[in-house]
Amino acid sequence: MNLPCVKDYNLLEKIGSGSYSTVYKAFKKNGSHEVVAIKCVDKLNLSKSSIDNIITEINLLKILKHEYIVEMRDFFWDEGHIYIVMEYCNEGDLSNFIKRKSKLAEHVCRKFLQQLALALRYLRDHNVCHMDLKPQNLLLVKKSTLTLKVGDFGFAQYLSGSEACFTIRGSPLYMAPEILLRHKYDARVDLWSVGVIMYECLFGRAPYSSNSFPELAEKIKDMRPIELPKGSHISNECKDLLSRLLKHNPNERLSYDEFFSHDFLDLEHAPTHENFNHAVELVHKAVKADTKGCRREAYHLYCDALRYFIPILTNESDLQKKEALRIKVNEYIKRAETLKDLCVEINKSMQVNLSQETSHQDKKQTLPKGDFFDKNVCINFNELCKLSRSTTGMADALDIGKAAEEYLLEGNYELALEKFQSSLKILVPLLGKEPPGRRRDLLSKQIHKWMQEAENTKSFLITKNPITLKFLFLRIVKTFNLNPPLINCLAMIIMKSNIFR
């Protein structure tokens, strides 16, 4: 195939095409010879609306600079074409990646969605709506880790969260129902597209996969319920986000704020530059508290910092930086464990002292065994238990929370976290209905304490339980059907690459 001649660039191969453009892999003749992607737009076949789209795309890409958005390096034109020079994404697009894998594991889906959500948060800050989110427009870059980047802003436009629009834009399979049915719509249309992409990542096909456009339109018009494939297993958090994204009525669909704050994505601890700086700041505070002998405060600060450091560590592409950070993270984990052990010993001795001071009736009540035991906290908890006897649900939830603290003391983090979450699921709604008074004050303090313990427990689970080597090893062996010599070789490689060795 004869490749076109483009000034200052050598074109290597065709890597994609659209209705009025073709994308080529290329490199600049002079300079660093960095590989790029060049989108060549045929000016002769452009309609007025297409010209407007190209102008909008170029203007947007000149402004939008984000690590999860494909970067425009340059643009120019000649008599027949407009050329947009983009960064080259060496792993193709998400659509082909899904086809190669059949479907993606939930943790892989979460990583891609987290990166997509960070890009969308940036776009919302600039009042930009992409309007054509689909796996083909989500490109992948592989360095030491796989990174997703949003590309192709040909249909994008400035659109606030409440501004209504009627223009048909996007690809039918990923298009929000309100666009397809020619109803007024706003920026929430991108959230529907995210839901379809998420569904396709998890199950290997879009929820309304059809053989023709009329068939697709009929399914959407009838608002046919979107069901999970039989035999599929995803977490409750994952299922909740998916179901709330794929609401036909945009008023029932979750908002952008709810999307960005959803537990499944956990953007609060995403591997960003800002979060790295925040983690460093938390460690400095932890060291300062540790030096002063404030073990309880230091422990909480180390755990908070680790929640930020772990995603950053796993996402770091620079091997030298990754190794240096791994060493530091291991130091923080060990110090947090030491602080925890020290405080457990203090807890035990203080519980003995307090039990000698309490009345016979108070002795019958089991003292809460949370980390960093405090006499006043224990007395307040006992008072709260007495005040809650008239409310069955509250009393039961407090017993569950107390059991969580006992499991935590024993080092059973998984069960402790499960009990904390069960308790808080009951107590938090009760707090919202509780009238002002002593019981409300005590309940609020107890909920805050257990929320902190739950977060710290989750931090420890993340640091102590990365993907097991056995699971990773078996998945690779099964996928590639390796022979015994290669299995032995692979086992050695995985053992040496374990970041927490």
Side-chain angles (χ1 to χ4, degrees):
M1 179 183 70
N2 292 328
L3 299 174
C5 294
V6 178
K7 180 183 177 182
D8 297 331
Y9 288 90
N10 281 330
L11 271 56
L12 302 174
E13 60 178 313
K14 176 182 172 181
I15 56 176
S17 62
S19 54
Y20 54 80
S21 65
T22 305
V23 183
Y24 297 94
K25 180 180 178 181
F27 67 87
K28 199 164 186 177
K29 294 176 182 177
N30 299 321
S32 64
H33 286 196
E34 178 189 12
V35 175
V36 295
I38 300 182
K39 183 176 182 178
C40 302
V41 182
D42 188 351
K43 289 165 62 176
L44 300 177
N45 294 325
L46 290 180
S47 63
K48 184 182 182 304
S49 61
S50 298
I51 293 173
D52 291 340
N53 289 341
I54 289 293
I55 293 172
T56 301
E57 180 177 15
I58 292 173
N59 286 333
L60 280 173
L61 290 173
K62 287 194 308 187
I63 299 169
L64 301 175
K65 304 295 179 185
H66 190 271
E67 60 181 317
Y68 299 127
I69 294 177
V70 178
E71 182 184 0
M72 182 178 74
R73 302 288 171 79
D74 194 10
F75 72 94
F76 52 94
W77 60 90
D78 57 26
E79 291 183 0
H81 294 84
I82 299 171
Y83 304 99
I84 304 177
V85 183
M86 313 289 294
E87 69 171 299
Y88 176 66
C89 298
N90 58 2
E91 284 295 311
D93 60 48
L94 182 60
S95 178
N96 286 324
F97 186 79
I98 295 172
K99 288 175 184 175
R100 291 199 303 269
K101 305 289 184 181
S102 295
K103 58 182 179 179
L104 307 185
E106 186 176 313
H107 72 275
V108 177
C109 178
R110 179 191 282 109
K111 177 183 177 180
F112 286 152
L113 275 180
Q114 189 180 67
Q115 293 171 347
L116 175 57
L118 289 170
L120 286 178
R121 189 167 68 180
Y122 176 81
L123 293 179
R124 293 313 309 139
D125 288 343
H126 290 76
N127 285 326
V128 174
C129 189
H130 188 279
M131 302 295 298
D132 195 21
L133 289 175
K134 57 184 179 180
Q136 293 86 343
N137 289 340
L138 303 177
L139 305 180
L140 302 175
V141 178
K142 179 68 177 294
K143 292 181 181 177
S144 65
T145 58
L146 202 57
T147 301
L148 178 146
K149 291 176 179 274
V150 180
D152 200 337
F153 284 76
F155 285 138
Q157 59 180 319
Y158 287 103
L159 199 63
S160 68
S162 58
E163 180 183 351
C165 193
F166 292 90
T167 309
I168 296 289
R169 288 170 178 259
S171 303
L173 191 58
Y174 304 91
M175 192 183 292
E178 56 267 35
I179 301 180
L180 203 62
L181 299 174
R182 296 182 179 275
H183 297 163
K184 67 178 181 180
Y185 63 84
D186 56 31
R188 287 175 292 182
V189 296
D190 275 356
L191 290 174
W192 170 275
S193 301
V194 172
V196 179
I197 293 166
M198 182 179 179
Y199 190 102
E200 188 169 340
C201 284
L202 291 168
F203 308 120
R205 61 175 179 82
Y208 282 144
S209 295
S210 306
N211 296 320
S212 64
F213 176 76
E215 181 185 344
L216 170 66
E218 191 65 27
K219 290 178 180 177
I220 293 178
K221 185 178 179 181
D222 292 345
M223 291 191 177
R224 295 186 188 178
I226 296 173
E227 299 177 347
L228 303 185
K230 291 182 180 180
S232 60
H233 299 284
I234 57 176
S235 68
N236 290 332
E237 289 178 344
C238 181
K239 188 182 298 183
D240 179 74
L241 178 58
L242 186 61
S243 64
R244 295 176 68 192
L245 285 169
L246 293 176
K247 294 290 186 185
H248 293 81
N249 185 343
N251 294 322
E252 297 176 0
R253 204 173 298 151
L254 83 175
S255 67
Y256 274 99
D257 286 341
E258 290 170 331
F259 175 61
F260 297 140
S261 63
H262 199 278
D263 287 343
F264 181 73
L265 298 177
D266 193 22
L267 292 191
E268 181 186 353
H269 302 99
T272 64
H273 181 70
E274 293 78 12
N275 282 347
F276 176 79
N277 291 337
H278 183 55
V280 171
E281 182 182 348
L282 287 170
V283 165
H284 288 163
K285 290 180 179 179
V287 172
K288 190 174 181 180
D290 203 355
T291 303
K292 291 180 179 179
C294 303
R295 295 189 179 95
R296 179 176 187 271
E297 182 183 357
Y299 169 77
H300 286 311
L301 287 167
Y302 275 123
C303 286
D304 286 345
L306 288 167
R307 288 291 302 278
Y308 292 94
F309 273 129
I310 297 302
I312 293 169
L313 174 62
T314 57
N315 196 63
E316 179 58 60
S317 58
D318 186 309
L319 296 179
Q320 191 171 359
K321 290 182 180 178
K322 191 183 189 88
E323 176 61 15
L325 183 58
R326 183 191 67 79
I327 293 171
K328 286 292 183 182
V329 165
N330 278 340
E331 289 177 4
Y332 304 148
I333 292 171
K334 289 175 182 176
R335 185 55 189 163
E337 287 179 324
T338 300
L339 288 169
K340 181 176 177 61
D341 291 340
L342 287 171
C343 293
V344 165
E345 292 303 317
I346 295 173
N347 286 354
K348 291 178 180 178
S349 61
M350 292 188 69
Q351 286 182 60
V352 171
N353 293 336
L354 181 61
S355 64
Q356 294 172 353
E357 299 173 12
T358 57
S359 66
H360 176 71
Q361 184 178 358
D362 286 338
K363 284 182 182 179
K364 292 181 180 179
Q365 295 207 30
T366 304
L367 299 177
K369 300 178 181 179
D371 297 338
F372 321 110
F373 176 80
D374 181 87
K375 177 178 177 180
N376 292 328
V377 170
C378 178
I379 294 173
N380 289 341
F381 179 81
N382 287 340
E383 182 184 353
L384 178 59
C385 288
K386 292 176 182 178
L387 293 174
S388 69
R389 286 172 183 169
S390 59
T391 309
T392 305
M394 186 181 297
D396 292 343
L398 290 172
D399 285 341
I400 295 171
K402 182 172 62 177
E405 290 190 317
E406 291 172 354
Y407 284 122
L408 191 60
L409 185 63
E410 295 168 2
N412 192 338
Y413 299 118
E414 290 87 354
L415 198 51
L417 180 59
E418 180 185 328
K419 294 295 183 183
F420 276 132
Q421 291 173 336
S422 297
S423 175
L424 292 169
K425 190 175 182 180
I426 299 171
L427 293 178
V428 171
L430 288 176
L431 179 63
K433 300 175 183 177
E434 183 72 17
R438 176 64 174 170
R439 191 169 83 159
R440 179 185 174 87
D441 292 342
L442 291 174
L443 181 60
S444 177
K445 290 177 181 178
Q446 192 63 49
I447 287 174
H448 178 75
K449 177 178 181 291
W450 282 346
M451 281 182 170
Q452 179 98 57
E453 297 291 2
E455 284 300 306
N456 290 337
T457 304
K458 191 180 291 185
S459 298
F460 252 76
L461 283 172
I462 291 171
T463 58
K464 301 297 286 181
N465 295 288
I467 298 174
T468 64
L469 294 178
K470 180 180 178 182
F471 175 77
L472 180 61
F473 177 74
L474 293 176
R475 283 293 300 272
I476 295 174
V477 170
K478 182 178 179 181
T479 301
F480 294 99
N481 193 25
L482 301 181
N483 56 35
L486 282 177
I487 291 175
N488 293 335
C489 180
L490 178 63
M492 293 299 296
I493 293 172
I494 293 177
M495 289 299 293
K496 290 180 180 179
S497 65
N498 181 20
I499 61 172
F500 291 109
R501 63 182 181 272

